[in-house]
Amino acid sequence: MYMPIPSQQSNAQAWIAAAAAVQDAGGEAHNVIIDIADPISIAPVDHAILTTVDTFLREHHAYSISSIANTIFPQSLLDRHGPDGLYAAYGELFPRMKQMTRDWGRYFDRMTVWKKINGKDVKLINPLDDLVRFMKTQIASDRTYRNAYEMTIYDPARDAGKVSNRQCLSFLSFKLTDDNTLLLTAMYRNHMYVARSLGNFIGLGRLQAFVAAQADATLGSLTCVSTHAEIDAGKKDHDGVVQGWTLSEANALIRQCRNLFNDRPSQAAVNSTAIAQIGAPAHPDRP
C-alpha cells in the first residue's frame, strides 16, 4: 500500500500536492512518496502558499513554519556563524532551547550528538560532520562510494515503547549520483500535513543544501516517504489559550492553498504540468 505523488518543483508545491492527495483519500494515507526537484527554490506562487500556511499556524497558536524548519536545520545559525561555527553555536544554544521546549525540536541535536560505545569506552561523535567529511573525501578520491551516507534519527534507547511525544522523522539516506549530485531520502514514522510537513520539507532542503555545499556536491532532489500521513486536527486549552484547529478548518486551509496554486496565471505558464497533476479538490464539500 503506497501513494506516489507526481514530482513537484518546490517544497510548497510538493506540500500542496501531497496534502491534497491525503485529503482526497479521506485524511489519512500510508507510504506517501513525494519527490521535490529543487528543495530550496521558492517560486512566486510559493510565497502565497507559505504565507497562508504560516498565518494559519500562528493564528492557531502553533509552531510557525520557520520554527519547524529549524528543528531539522538551524539556518539562522549557519547564516550568522558560518559552517565552521555552526556546531559550536548550536551547542551553546541547545540548553536554553531544551528548557523552553523540553524534548521537542531536537532533530539537529540527534544529527550532531551521538554516543559511540566501544566496550567500556564511550565517546560523543558528530554523525553529520562525520558524514560530510567522509563524503567530501570520497568525492575528491578516484573511486567515490555513492551509497555509504546514512543517518538514523530514531533512537531505540529514547523512543522505543513510547506511545506519544516520540520522534516523527526516523531516518535520512544521502546518495551521490555519477556526476556527484546529492540526493536525500527522508523517512517519517508519522507526518502531520497541517502542523509539520511544509516546515519539515523546508528544513530538509536546507540540510541537504548544507551537506552538498560542504562536501562539494551538487544539490539534487529531495524525496520524502511518509509511512503514515494525516490531515491532523485537534484543539486544546493551554493556560487559557486555545491551541490547534478543527478538521473543518484544516480542510479549508488545504482547499484555500489548492485554489491559490491553481488560480495563479504566472505559475500556469511556468509549471502547467504540476497544476494539472494537483487538480481541483475532488471533494469540495468535504469539511
Side-chain angles (χ1 to χ4, degrees):
M1 179 185 297
Y2 68 102
M3 178 183 284
I5 308 297
S7 181
Q8 302 295 322
Q9 183 63 28
S10 66
N11 290 316
Q13 293 167 38
W15 175 78
I16 191 59
V22 176
Q23 183 182 50
D24 289 346
E28 182 180 27
H30 294 86
N31 297 318
V32 179
I33 304 171
I34 181 71
D35 185 76
I36 304 165
D38 186 346
I40 60 171
S41 69
I42 300 178
V45 68
D46 298 342
H47 284 289
I49 296 173
L50 290 166
T51 300
T52 299
V53 175
D54 196 56
T55 300
F56 178 89
L57 295 175
R58 292 175 185 271
E59 288 180 347
H60 291 83
H61 305 287
Y63 289 114
S64 65
I65 288 177
S66 177
S67 295
I68 301 300
N70 280 334
T71 66
I72 295 174
F73 188 77
Q75 183 67 41
S76 60
L77 289 182
L78 175 65
D79 295 340
R80 288 201 299 271
H81 300 279
D84 293 337
L86 172 63
Y87 300 126
Y90 184 82
E92 292 179 5
L93 179 66
F94 184 72
R96 185 154 50 97
M97 187 177 71
K98 188 176 178 181
Q99 281 187 331
M100 295 172 59
T101 62
R102 298 185 178 179
D103 285 338
W104 185 84
R106 299 174 58 176
Y107 288 133
F108 194 70
D109 175 61
R110 293 189 180 208
M111 296 177 203
T112 55
V113 180
W114 202 269
K115 289 182 180 179
K116 185 173 184 177
I117 302 174
N118 184 11
K120 295 182 179 180
D121 182 28
V122 180
K123 66 178 182 179
L124 294 179
I125 61 173
N126 183 333
L128 178 60
D129 191 46
D130 290 347
L131 183 149
V132 169
R133 292 175 184 275
F134 180 49
M135 184 182 295
K136 186 172 184 177
T137 301
Q138 287 296 310
I139 289 175
S141 68
D142 294 333
R143 182 184 180 187
T144 302
Y145 284 92
R146 308 191 184 283
N147 57 3
Y149 314 101
E150 310 292 90
M151 183 176 295
T152 184
I153 305 299
Y154 170 77
D155 179 2
R158 287 182 279 188
D159 301 316
K162 296 168 66 176
V163 296
S164 62
N165 295 325
R166 58 188 297 175
Q167 100 304 332
C168 290
L169 175 59
S170 293
F171 196 76
L172 298 173
S173 180
F174 296 86
K175 296 291 189 295
L176 289 170
T177 63
D178 288 344
D179 61 353
N180 291 329
T181 296
L182 180 66
L183 312 177
L184 171 60
T185 301
M187 178 173 286
Y188 275 83
R189 172 190 63 85
N190 183 52
H191 222 169
M192 295 185 289
Y193 267 72
V194 177
R196 299 287 189 266
S197 61
L198 182 51
N200 285 337
F201 290 163
I202 292 171
L204 289 168
R206 290 172 176 174
L207 170 69
Q208 184 181 359
F210 170 77
V211 173
Q214 297 307 305
D216 297 328
T218 302
L219 179 65
S221 64
L222 163 66
T223 302
C224 181
V225 181
S226 302
T227 57
H228 179 259
E230 61 178 329
I231 304 302
D232 48 297
K235 285 190 171 183
K236 63 180 180 181
D237 187 292
H238 183 71
D239 294 334
V241 177
V242 178
Q243 300 175 332
W245 44 83
T246 66
L247 184 58
S248 294
E249 291 170 328
N251 282 315
L253 169 69
I254 296 170
R255 285 198 298 269
Q256 181 183 358
C257 290
R258 294 171 79 165
N259 291 333
L260 278 173
F261 191 91
N262 293 333
D263 292 344
R264 187 62 64 95
S266 59
Q267 183 60 27
V270 173
N271 197 352
S272 59
T273 301
I275 291 176
Q277 290 165 341
I278 290 175
H283 306 288
D285 297 330
R286 178 174 291 161

